[in-house]
Amino acid sequence: MKLSRPVSWFLLAFGVWSWVIWVTFVKNLIKDGSGLAFDHGHPTAYFWVHLTLAVVSFVLGTVIGGIGLRGLRALRQTS
């Protein structure tokens, strides 16, 4: 399957965006002072659920961004 240049760029941008957003979220989650993420220094279910969401998003962002990057490289080789 061959991806178009706009689709490849979109996928790559999505992967980068996913990493930027979720890294920021995890930093804020770790520094949480509201008591949602930590209860007396121990992680709560809220923490584990949101950390799991972040890890899954890192993986999906990496895979989707990688597909976009491969699409751009393939287009460059055929040009």
Side-chain angles (χ1 to χ4, degrees):
M1 177 172 71
K2 188 174 180 181
L3 299 174
S4 68
R5 188 172 311 279
V7 169
S8 296
W9 276 111
F10 175 79
L11 294 175
L12 181 60
F14 177 86
V16 171
W17 174 258
S18 182
W19 269 87
V20 169
I21 291 301
W22 285 100
V23 165
T24 303
F25 181 82
V26 168
K27 285 180 183 179
N28 291 334
L29 182 65
I30 290 171
K31 291 189 275 183
D32 178 58
S34 69
L36 286 173
F38 296 97
D39 184 24
H40 302 294
H42 300 292
T44 62
Y46 176 91
F47 174 84
W48 291 115
V49 167
H50 286 84
L51 185 62
T52 302
L53 286 171
V55 169
V56 169
S57 294
F58 289 145
V59 171
L60 290 175
T62 301
V63 169
I64 291 169
I67 292 169
L69 185 60
R70 287 179 62 186
L72 289 172
R73 286 183 179 167
L75 286 169
R76 188 179 312 162
Q77 289 176 354
T78 60
S79 299

